[in-house]
Amino acid sequence: MTDLLYTEVEEDLRSGVRRVLRDRCDWTAVLARVETDEPYDLELWRSLAGEMGLAGLLVPEELGGAGATARELSVVAEEIGRAVAPVPFLSTVLATTALAGCGETSVLPQLVEGSKVGTVAVGLTTVPHAPFPQAVKAEGSALTGTVSAVVDLEVADHVVVPAVDTDGSALYLVEAAAATRTPTTPLDLTRRLGVLSLDGTPGERIASGAEAERVLRRALVTAAGTLAAEQVGLAQHCLDTTVEYGKTRYQFGRQIGSFQAVKHRLADLWTKISMARAVSRNASDALASGSEEELAVALAQAYTSDLVVRAAEEHLQLHGGIGMTWEHPAHLYLGRAKSSQLTFGIAEAHRARIAELVDLPGGSA
């Protein structure tokens, strides 16, 4: 039987990441940054990616990475979620997985060391099992088309673009500066989206045909599994801080945490987060071992994507009036939670995919 408990190495990794984020990315720093002209903390990202080697965890050693697994990456994701860190983490998971899958060796090392940022030109709500995107067409090395809701696009230096050319499906590597990037008004202030517009933009083909489709699906499945871990970390933070608030906030001469109604809500949330952690760890282990990974990730996303919103809502509501203010971080967590609920498909889409994978009636509905 697979051991889903955290190993000593994983706990050491967690401690290191949490220490850096606590020192350099506490909620006051995030809140002060997200409405400025530089909402992303790229200096922090360079430290996490380059100095700690987090951007290259899934990249094989022969390509300059750490050669670790999705289990280690999931621990990092939990801490990113706990801090709602404004760093291009999710886009880096997408881009490095795609480039490593193609064996690309010119841009990938720059992403691993954190000196450059990459993303993949797919819409935020794209489910991992979706058909290969058709929005971009390629004629020779020139790409034309528009892709909306591309994650972390405004800070990306390179974009992996799925396109259709004369040979069918293909992946192209594009310099972000050569395309037109239009920011989208964000729901999540800590993770921005943008519209990528290509009009004869030059690109380098790095994969084609069935290989391109395999690489893109692998990148999406990996990122969706990683997102589930991030959602668990965010939900756990919401529970922890709400419990702490319940011990210090008094109403009617009593701690609000002593009221039975509050106790029941927090106990129910604790149970749900424990279940979410189990399915998230199962997904990470499946990605690490390559065993029924698509099913495991679909199970994780079907549960965690709704749970994280529930946790963020309880966090806001049980903080009372202070939780409703812009000066409190509750809205940062709710924004990230709601945005991540939509990322890589809503829960219903994943439940339908589970039905298809295990051959349940109604799976194609």
Side-chain angles (χ1 to χ4, degrees):
M1 180 179 293
T2 300
D3 186 358
L4 299 182
L5 297 176
Y6 299 102
T7 66
E8 184 177 348
V9 171
E10 290 166 354
E11 290 294 4
D12 287 343
L13 176 61
R14 181 194 306 282
S15 296
V17 175
R18 183 175 295 185
R19 182 169 55 252
V20 171
L21 293 175
R22 183 181 61 240
D23 293 343
R24 301 178 55 181
C25 189
D26 72 304
W27 69 264
T28 58
V30 176
L31 195 58
R33 171 179 290 277
V34 292
E35 291 192 283
T36 69
D37 294 335
E38 296 182 357
Y40 285 86
D41 191 341
L42 295 182
E43 184 178 346
L44 171 62
W45 177 242
R46 284 188 284 270
S47 295
L48 294 172
E51 296 172 18
M52 299 189 70
L54 303 185
L57 283 176
L58 293 186
V59 177
E61 292 183 60
E62 59 268 24
L63 294 178
T69 72
R71 286 179 61 118
E72 290 79 22
L73 184 65
S74 70
V75 172
V76 176
E78 287 182 25
E79 296 307 308
I80 294 290
R82 174 182 285 272
V84 287
V87 294
F89 173 71
L90 191 61
S91 59
T92 297
V93 174
L94 281 167
T96 55
T97 305
L99 292 175
C102 297
E104 199 282 334
T105 58
S106 59
V107 169
L108 183 58
Q110 301 174 59
L111 303 190
V112 169
E113 68 184 16
S115 61
K116 300 291 184 180
V117 175
T119 190
V120 176
V122 293
L124 179 80
T125 59
T126 302
V127 291
H129 57 277
F132 195 85
Q134 306 288 308
V136 177
K137 309 298 182 184
E139 294 185 9
S141 61
L143 307 180
T144 300
T146 300
V147 184
S148 301
V150 179
V151 67
D152 299 333
L153 181 61
E154 66 184 75
V155 292
D157 300 288
H158 304 278
V159 185
V160 178
V161 181
V164 178
D165 59 18
T166 54
D167 295 325
S169 303
L171 294 177
Y172 285 80
L173 186 58
V174 173
E175 293 276 352
T180 300
R181 293 176 286 176
T182 307
T184 302
T185 301
L187 172 64
D188 177 5
L189 296 175
T190 64
R191 176 174 287 155
R192 307 300 182 98
L193 307 175
V195 178
L196 179 72
S197 300
L198 305 164
D199 187 9
T201 306
E204 174 191 357
R205 190 166 73 170
I206 55 176
S208 61
E211 180 191 10
E213 295 179 5
R214 176 190 62 78
V215 167
L216 181 61
R217 174 165 289 197
R218 173 67 180 179
L220 289 169
V221 169
T222 300
T226 304
L227 179 66
E230 181 188 289
Q231 290 168 326
V232 170
L234 191 154
Q236 185 67 57
H237 172 84
C238 289
L239 174 61
D240 292 344
T241 54
T242 305
V243 168
E244 188 61 32
Y245 182 75
K247 296 177 181 178
T248 58
R249 172 63 172 163
Y250 282 75
Q251 277 189 330
F252 308 109
R254 293 173 55 184
Q255 296 169 315
I256 64 170
S258 68
F259 290 103
Q260 190 175 49
V262 175
K263 287 181 180 179
H264 285 180
R265 289 172 67 170
L266 292 175
D268 183 55
L269 185 57
W270 180 88
T271 303
K272 287 178 166 57
I273 292 173
S274 298
M275 294 171 64
R277 179 171 285 104
V279 294
S280 170
R281 289 293 289 172
N282 180 61
S284 300
D285 188 74
L287 286 167
S289 64
S291 174
E292 295 187 331
E293 55 193 40
E294 190 174 349
L295 175 59
V297 169
L299 282 167
Q301 275 299 311
Y303 190 83
T304 60
S305 62
D306 285 344
L307 175 276
V308 71
V309 175
R310 169 72 178 275
E313 289 174 343
E314 293 284 44
H315 178 235
L316 186 150
Q317 292 171 13
L318 292 177
H319 273 78
I322 187 65
M324 303 290 180
T325 66
W326 205 248
E327 290 75 20
H328 192 275
H331 66 89
L332 296 177
Y333 287 89
L334 183 58
R336 173 70 70 90
K338 190 61 183 179
S339 174
S340 70
Q341 184 188 38
L342 308 176
T343 302
F344 305 128
I346 59 176
E348 285 82 353
H350 291 287
R351 286 194 283 269
R353 182 56 176 166
I354 292 167
E356 292 174 359
L357 291 172
V358 301
D359 198 25
L360 287 175
S364 59

